[in-house]
Amino acid sequence: MMRKCHVRFLGEGDTVTCASLPDKKTAGVDGIKSLSPAARFDLAKGLFIQGQSKPTRRIWIPKPGKTEKRPLSIPTITDRALQAVVKATLEPEWEARFEPSSYGFRPGRSAHDAIKHIKNCIISKPKFVLDADISQCFDRINQEALLLKLNMNGSVRQQIKAWLKSGVIDSGKFVATTAGTPQGGVSALRSA
């Protein structure tokens, strides 16, 4: 049986499961990799949208089959937990808006589902399929355009803006972020 943790700002009766809170193997700038179940429960009880964020910790991972490396931005455990809550709040509305043929960063959808959809579409007659990888796509997303697309005001918007603008600690040095979305935390910002 899964325990439930009440999250104050969502509204009466809205809950997030303790199991959905972050438990990763890589620490953010706070140095915390994971929490005990009791500490996770305490973290969930203390989550509030404050419009603030700590910088993320930049790590570099190799791209498969290449010598290049890809940057990941690892948030603090508190930011990860709050991102999970905000994602759970925004996701139902955005899922209703997405095209049925969209598969990227969607719950319950995978690359295999996209391939199956493509095969079903081209089974009756040959068609062209474009498979594209946009170089540094998430690093170049216009943050202001993303915030406008969210079409919301108030504390949630301020919190998302704080995550976008929080900067990164790369090799011990702070680097400001003026464009792009962090890769390595909860994918709420990329889905929008």
Side-chain angles (χ1 to χ4, degrees), residues 18-26 33-36 40 77 80:
C18 289
S20 70
L21 295 177
D23 187 15
K24 304 286 184 181
K25 302 295 182 212
T26 305
K33 291 183 183 178
S34 63
L35 297 172
S36 68
R40 292 173 89 181
I77 199 128
R80 268 188 254 171

Side-chain angles (χ1 to χ4, degrees), residues 10-160:
L10 286 176
E12 201 57 43
D14 291 333
T15 58
V16 172
T17 63
C18 289
S20 70
L21 295 177
D23 187 15
K24 304 286 184 181
K25 302 295 182 212
T26 305
V29 295
D30 57 357
I32 302 171
K33 291 183 183 178
S34 63
L35 297 172
S36 68
R40 292 173 89 181
F41 186 76
D42 289 341
L43 174 65
K45 286 193 305 187
L47 287 178
F48 294 97
I49 290 182
Q50 298 174 357
Q52 300 173 352
S53 176
K54 299 249 191 245
T56 58
R57 184 170 76 96
R58 173 70 42 92
I59 61 170
W60 295 87
I61 61 169
K63 287 186 174 183
K66 297 181 180 180
T67 57
E68 292 178 77
K69 291 191 174 188
R70 172 169 85 92
L72 288 183
S73 300
I74 310 300
T76 64
I77 199 128
T78 301
D79 280 336
R80 268 188 254 171
L82 197 52
Q83 286 175 12
V85 172
V86 170
K87 179 183 177 205
T89 304
L90 296 177
E91 199 168 59
E93 176 186 350
W94 283 95
E95 275 301 307
R97 292 181 185 196
F98 284 139
E99 293 289 328
S101 59
S102 170
Y103 289 87
F105 301 103
R106 305 247 331 251
R109 292 178 177 233
S110 68
H112 295 292
D113 295 327
I115 291 168
K116 184 177 178 182
H117 180 81
I118 290 167
K119 284 183 179 179
N120 288 338
C121 288
I122 64 173
I123 200 163
S124 60
K125 61 181 179 176
K127 296 179 182 171
F128 291 98
V129 175
L130 173 65
D131 179 17
D133 182 12
I134 302 170
S135 177
Q136 298 178 332
C137 174
F138 296 116
D139 297 336
R140 296 179 178 160
I141 289 175
N142 181 313
Q143 293 177 349
E144 292 305 318
L146 177 61
L147 289 168
L148 285 171
K149 183 79 171 167
L150 285 174
N151 193 28
M152 62 176 21
N153 294 313
S155 59
V156 174
R157 183 184 192 282
Q158 286 304 112
Q159 185 62 59
I160 292 171

